[in-house]
Amino acid sequence: TEKLVFEELKLRVRELENELIKCKQKIDKMSAEVVDSNPYSRLMALKRMGIVEDYEKIRTFTVAVVGVGGVGSVTAEMLTRCGIGKLILFDYDKVELANMNRLFFQPHQAGLSKVEAAEHTLRTINPDVQFETHNYNITTMDNFAHFMDRISHGALQDGKAVDLVLSCVDNFEARMAINTACNELSQIWMESGVSENAVSGHIQLIIPGETACFACAPPLVVAANIDEKTLKREGVCAASLPTTMGVVAGILVQNVLKYLLKFGTVSHYLGYNAMQDFFPTMAMKANPTCDDRHCRKQQDVYKKKEAERPKKVVEQAVEEEVVHEENDWGIELVSEQTDQELQAASGPVPDLPEGITVAYTIPDKTGTSEGETVEETEQSLEELMAQMRTM
Amino acid sequence: TEKLVFEELKLRVRELENELIKCKQKIDKMSAEVVDSNPYSRLMALKRMGIVEDYEKIRTFTVAVVGVGGVGSVTAEMLTRCGIGKLILFDYDKVELANMNRLFFQPHQAGLSKVEAAEHTLRTINPDVQFETHNYNITTMDNFAHFMDRISHGALQDGKAVDLVLSCVDNFEARMAINTACNELSQIWMESGVSENAVSGHIQLIIPGETACFACAPPLVVAANIDEKTLKREGVCAASLPTTMGVVAGILVQNVLKYLLKFGTVSHYLGYNAMQDFFPTMAMKANPTCDDRHCRKQQDVYKKKEAERPKKVVEQAVEEEVVHEENDWGIELVSEQTDQELQAASGPVPDLPEGITVAYTIPDKTGTSEGETVEETEQSLEELMAQMRTM
């Protein structure tokens, strides 16, 4: 009976909390006043410190977070605490006790949908943020159309596209769906990922037509230096750690803040190898022979735009040295590491900075077994796809 | 009245939650079973993946966390979710709305002591963890004695010392107090810090007698490449970001897990420059002329122990190249970067890897104005100490 009373009370408190949130006055203007009761004082201090020129601008931005798991939930919490204007959350999963080894969700939320549980917690944390949640799988036909519609029309300013899409999903199909949508809509997005063995991760900025999209090149991952054979066995669940996921969410949202609020250097690719505390960076241009026709179309648009820019500016833009004009995938790498560091790089894949490797191989379009595979592999495309499904 | 009903219900729910936690059966044994209801399945998977040999051992460890703010609270949550045996939390502060721009605390906890609020949340998250909290300032005489007693006798195994002390404090005095205690007790600890402008941070492993203690060398910080004059003005509150603090907590607890569970490479120093996404690493030996007599004593103990080790092992141990035998502070640096990288390093301080600088200068013991200052400065020791107080 105690348990029953508890459940009833929990429900009533939840109702009252929701009512309270509704009647709570949203603040009109972020204050920089240094008082204990001001939730924005430490953020507005970024202006006084000379880091951010216009912090209040954060309230005008809308960010879509796809996947509200170990990385996505912490990503949403960080953005909420930073006072983002609006968050649109997508996930079709339920909270389970098996998720308790990562930050954010609590045992009493087990059974709730992740978006519902997340929205409740986030509203309690910051009632100034607007939320929109979608409890569905974006990869099915109908949902994908709806997803496209929401990212192109879901911004605070009615009818506009969101400012950024963040991929915090854990599988290949969902990443490809986001990639397809963003290429078609010319929507800038950031991708994130954590390896199955829980000790490496990465973030990547994708500007359609300009930087490599998810279909331009095999997705890059940080090598974990462990025996691949111990990974990806049938029926084996992936490992995860709150530390690795917290770091990946942290570097992801930091990149979001730098991009939206225009400070520091926005990273194109930042990897995290927890075993060695190694954080490789790099940049990768779009692949002219990319399979995604919308990517190729965006590349044409980008080239035209670049050609139309005043000559002097173009000259500055091409100053970055393209280290490898041509390779097996038609990818151009603009390395942020020195030539010496690149020469010292080892591993099965040439032309990638040390410590970075590919998560899977691009299937050979000609039908022969030679050509574009990255590592010697006897696995079929189906097997590789099955592997990616668990990523 | 709605507000009153709400407050009453909140209190009752809290009481019931606490009762439920008490009657909840602690699990006897961490299970690796892959079911949604198992909170440890994703952690135990680290064994199957070949990352950690004996994950269950985590339940035998006790960690003290000093400072339960932006970094300390997330640190405690990560360790709780990983299933650590026991946490001892120290903080004398109260939760304020001004803390809401960082992870962990929620608005309804404003006014509660940080340790009380943290314990409540953490117990709800994982009832298997034991907690001990101390709501006091460790730097006062009486409290310091009690602090020393708890870290030397607070472990799960009655009367033993804790396995690790984590410094997550935001000021110089508290760091010095932890340093003094750990040197005297020969207690291994890790230090963490975030800069006042919120865009850089670091973690450091301190093994008394072996690696540089907090008094051996000026505390090292990652240069943020911003005008120092905009910082540290009177009455100006420090900036903070949930991203930077989340990353620092993440790399700190990752280092704790690697140290306790013996996997990967434990970092001696890892910096984080958020503006450039730059993560410098290095190692620093203890300073034979350190001001702390207990540090010097521990150095003698360490040297004796090293001398007594079988010759072959000693040879391996000294293989690490000492890159700078002697410098202004008597610090020996064992760089994890190449000579070329070191030569390319710039900035006011020689002999430090690129991007790392000192947080303050060591006062000149001889009374002359020359000698051991790092940068040209006209500031008095008092001014420097006042600056450190706000760190």
Side-chain angles (χ1 to χ4, degrees):
Chain A
T1 59
E2 187 117 282
K3 181 101 196 214
L4 241 163
V5 175
F6 173 74
E7 286 302 325
E8 267 171 40
L9 280 171
K10 216 170 77 177
L11 207 75
R12 181 72 188 124
V13 167
R14 204 179 175 83
E15 286 166 5
L16 287 169
E17 273 180 346
N18 285 335
E19 278 175 55
L20 265 177
I21 286 166
K22 266 183 256 164
C23 71
K24 230 178 225 170
Q25 286 255 277
K26 295 200 177 197
I27 60 150
D28 277 344
K29 201 176 171 302
M30 278 186 171
S31 158
E33 201 191 351
V34 182
V35 287
D36 287 344
S37 58
N38 177 10
Y40 296 118
S41 59
R42 305 308 178 90
L43 295 165
M44 292 293 279
L46 290 164
K47 291 172 69 172
R48 225 184 295 107
M49 298 271 173
I51 302 291
V52 180
E53 211 179 290
D54 182 9
Y55 191 84
E56 294 98 314
K57 200 151 191 259
I58 198 160
R59 302 190 75 185
T60 66
F61 296 118
T62 302
V63 174
V65 179
V66 191
V68 188
V71 173
S73 61
V74 180
T75 293
E77 180 173 350
M78 286 176 174
L79 288 169
T80 297
R81 291 185 183 267
C82 284
I84 195 84
K86 181 179 172 183
L87 281 181
I88 311 183
L89 308 178
F90 298 87
D91 204 305
Y92 64 97
D93 223 357
K94 279 188 160 47
V95 179
E96 307 285 1
L97 286 181
N99 306 141
M100 291 309 131
N101 69 318
R102 282 150 274 177
L103 297 179
F104 194 76
F105 291 114
Q106 300 210 353
H108 65 83
Q109 296 174 314
L112 294 176
S113 81
K114 283 185 178 172
V115 290
E116 185 195 354
E119 180 180 0
H120 181 81
T121 303
L122 298 173
R123 269 192 200 281
T124 307
I125 289 170
N126 191 347
D128 294 333
V129 178
Q130 277 196 32
F131 295 93
E132 178 183 319
T133 59
H134 300 288
N135 186 22
Y136 60 58
N137 180 346
I138 64 160
T139 64
T140 69
M141 194 93 82
D142 285 358
N143 293 338
F144 183 71
H146 191 265
F147 169 67
M148 290 269 285
D149 179 70
R150 294 320 297 149
I151 65 175
S152 42
H153 301 296
L156 274 179
Q157 288 90 341
D158 237 27
K160 290 247 177 93
V162 302
D163 296 284
L164 211 48
V165 172
L166 304 180
S167 163
C168 303
V169 298
D170 61 357
N171 64 82
F172 177 69
E173 280 94 344
R175 282 190 178 90
M176 268 303 189
I178 298 166
N179 190 62
T180 304
C182 291
N183 274 336
E184 185 165 343
L185 300 169
S186 189
Q187 172 65 54
I188 297 177
W189 62 292
M190 289 186 200
E191 132 80 0
S192 69
V194 170
S195 67
E196 275 211 332
N197 63 7
V199 289
S200 73
H202 72 276
I203 64 159
Q204 188 170 350
L205 167 69
I206 295 159
I207 307 173
E210 188 177 337
T211 70
C213 86
F214 197 71
C216 279
L220 301 172
V221 295
V222 185
N225 296 334
I226 64 146
D227 186 1
E228 287 295 318
K229 279 173 214 135
T230 61
L231 281 173
K232 320 209 175 166
R233 259 189 251 127
E234 269 306 306
V236 166
C237 88
S240 58
L241 281 167
T243 46
T244 308
M245 288 183 152
V247 169
V248 170
I251 59 177
L252 175 66
V253 179
Q254 199 82 279
N255 219 35
V256 170
L257 296 176
K258 290 195 283 183
Y259 172 80
L260 294 176
L261 300 173
K262 300 186 196 313
F263 68 97
T265 307
V266 179
S267 280
H268 280 82
Y269 178 97
L270 175 60
Y272 170 40
N273 176 323
M275 298 296 267
Q276 319 290 333
D277 280 336
F278 172 57
F279 298 78
T281 57
M282 49 169 271
M284 211 167 32
K285 289 192 180 173
N287 177 0
T289 64
C290 178
D291 278 348
D292 187 314
R293 68 184 174 90
H294 287 291
C295 174
R296 297 194 309 270
K297 211 185 92 190
Q298 299 297 348
Q299 291 183 47
D300 292 340
V301 173
Y302 174 69
K303 264 183 212 141
K304 210 176 246 173
K305 211 176 62 192
E306 281 297 285
E308 281 164 7
R309 284 167 71 182
K311 187 96 171 84
K312 210 178 150 190
V313 181
V314 174
E315 262 165 23
Q316 280 170 359
V318 297
E319 247 176 41
E320 281 184 79
E321 190 192 0
V322 177
V323 285
H324 299 283
E325 277 295 342
E326 204 95 47
N327 58 27
D328 286 346
W329 312 296
I331 301 163
E332 288 174 303
L333 278 167
V334 183
S335 177
E336 289 172 33
Q337 310 201 283
T338 67
D339 278 358
Q340 277 158 330
E341 280 169 325
L342 271 176
Q343 272 164 24
S346 61
V349 186
D351 304 351
L352 285 177
E354 183 182 12
I356 298 181
T357 181
V358 294
Y360 75 117
T361 55
I362 285 191
D364 186 355
K365 274 169 289 180
T366 65
T368 71
S369 64
E370 289 167 60
E372 297 170 311
T373 50
V374 174
E375 298 174 286
E376 291 304 314
T377 173
E378 307 229 325
Q379 290 174 295
S380 68
L381 174 58
E382 282 71 32
E383 282 169 335
L384 286 164
M385 295 288 274
Q387 281 187 359
M388 285 303 298
R389 255 174 269 273
T390 59
M391 255 187 72
Chain B
T1 58
E2 187 116 282
K3 180 103 195 210
L4 241 162
V5 176
F6 172 73
E7 285 302 325
E8 266 171 39
L9 280 172
K10 215 170 80 176
L11 207 74
R12 183 69 188 127
V13 167
R14 205 182 175 81
E15 286 166 5
L16 287 170
E17 273 180 346
N18 285 336
E19 277 175 55
L20 266 177
I21 287 166
K22 264 183 260 165
C23 70
K24 230 177 225 170
Q25 287 254 277
K26 296 200 178 198
I27 59 149
D28 276 343
K29 202 174 172 302
M30 278 188 172
S31 157
E33 201 191 350
V34 183
V35 287
D36 288 343
S37 58
N38 177 9
Y40 296 117
S41 58
R42 305 309 177 92
L43 295 165
M44 292 293 279
L46 289 164
K47 291 172 69 173
R48 225 184 295 107
M49 297 272 174
I51 302 292
V52 180
E53 210 180 292
D54 183 8
Y55 191 84
E56 295 98 313
K57 199 152 191 257
I58 197 159
R59 301 190 76 184
T60 66
F61 295 118
T62 301
V63 174
V65 179
V66 191
V68 188
V71 173
S73 61
V74 181
T75 293
E77 181 174 348
M78 285 175 173
L79 288 169
T80 297
R81 291 185 183 266
C82 284
I84 194 84
K86 181 178 171 182
L87 282 180
I88 311 183
L89 308 178
F90 298 87
D91 203 304
Y92 63 96
D93 223 357
K94 279 187 159 48
V95 179
E96 307 284 2
L97 286 182
N99 306 141
M100 292 308 130
N101 69 319
R102 283 149 274 178
L103 298 179
F104 193 75
F105 291 115
Q106 300 210 352
H108 65 83
Q109 296 174 315
L112 294 176
S113 80
K114 283 185 178 172
V115 290
E116 185 194 352
E119 181 181 358
H120 180 82
T121 303
L122 297 173
R123 269 192 200 283
T124 307
I125 290 170
N126 191 348
D128 294 333
V129 178
Q130 277 197 31
F131 295 94
E132 178 182 319
T133 61
H134 300 287
N135 186 23
Y136 61 58
N137 181 346
I138 64 159
T139 65
T140 69
M141 194 93 81
D142 285 359
N143 293 338
F144 183 71
H146 191 264
F147 170 67
M148 290 268 287
D149 178 69
R150 292 321 296 151
I151 64 175
S152 42
H153 300 296
L156 274 179
Q157 287 89 342
D158 238 26
K160 289 246 177 95
V162 301
D163 296 283
L164 210 47
V165 172
L166 304 181
S167 164
C168 302
V169 298
D170 62 356
N171 65 83
F172 178 67
E173 281 94 343
R175 283 189 178 90
M176 268 304 190
I178 297 166
N179 191 61
T180 304
C182 291
N183 274 336
E184 186 165 343
L185 300 169
S186 188
Q187 171 66 54
I188 296 178
W189 63 292
M190 289 185 200
E191 133 78 2
S192 69
V194 171
S195 66
E196 275 212 331
N197 64 8
V199 289
S200 72
H202 72 274
I203 64 158
Q204 189 170 350
L205 166 70
I206 296 158
I207 306 172
E210 188 176 336
T211 70
C213 86
F214 198 70
C216 278
L220 302 172
V221 295
V222 185
N225 295 334
I226 64 146
D227 186 0
E228 286 295 317
K229 279 173 213 135
T230 61
L231 281 175
K232 320 209 175 168
R233 261 188 250 127
E234 269 306 306
V236 166
C237 88
S240 57
L241 281 167
T243 45
T244 309
M245 289 183 151
V247 169
V248 170
I251 58 177
L252 175 66
V253 179
Q254 199 81 280
N255 219 34
V256 170
L257 295 177
K258 290 195 284 185
Y259 171 78
L260 294 176
L261 299 174
K262 301 187 195 311
F263 67 97
T265 307
V266 179
S267 280
H268 279 83
Y269 178 97
L270 174 61
Y272 170 41
N273 175 322
M275 297 296 267
Q276 319 291 334
D277 281 335
F278 172 58
F279 298 78
T281 56
M282 48 170 273
M284 213 168 29
K285 289 192 179 174
N287 177 1
T289 64
C290 178
D291 279 348
D292 187 315
R293 68 182 174 91
H294 287 291
C295 174
R296 297 195 307 273
K297 212 185 92 190
Q298 300 297 349
Q299 291 182 47
D300 293 340
V301 173
Y302 174 68
K303 266 184 211 140
K304 209 176 250 173
K305 212 176 61 189
E306 281 297 286
E308 281 164 8
R309 284 167 72 182
K311 188 95 172 89
K312 208 178 153 190
V313 181
V314 174
E315 262 165 22
Q316 278 170 359
V318 297
E319 247 176 40
E320 280 185 79
E321 190 192 358
V322 177
V323 285
H324 299 283
E325 276 294 342
E326 204 95 46
N327 59 25
D328 286 347
W329 312 296
I331 301 163
E332 288 175 303
L333 278 167
V334 183
S335 176
E336 291 172 30
Q337 312 202 282
T338 67
D339 278 358
Q340 276 159 330
E341 280 169 325
L342 271 176
Q343 272 164 23
S346 61
V349 185
D351 303 351
L352 285 176
E354 184 184 9
I356 298 182
T357 181
V358 293
Y360 75 117
T361 55
I362 284 191
D364 186 355
K365 273 170 288 179
T366 65
T368 71
S369 64
E370 290 167 59
E372 298 170 309
T373 52
V374 174
E375 298 173 287
E376 290 305 314
T377 175
E378 308 228 325
Q379 289 175 295
S380 68
L381 175 57
E382 283 70 32
E383 284 169 331
L384 287 164
M385 295 288 272
Q387 282 186 359
M388 284 303 297
R389 253 174 271 273
T390 59
M391 255 186 70

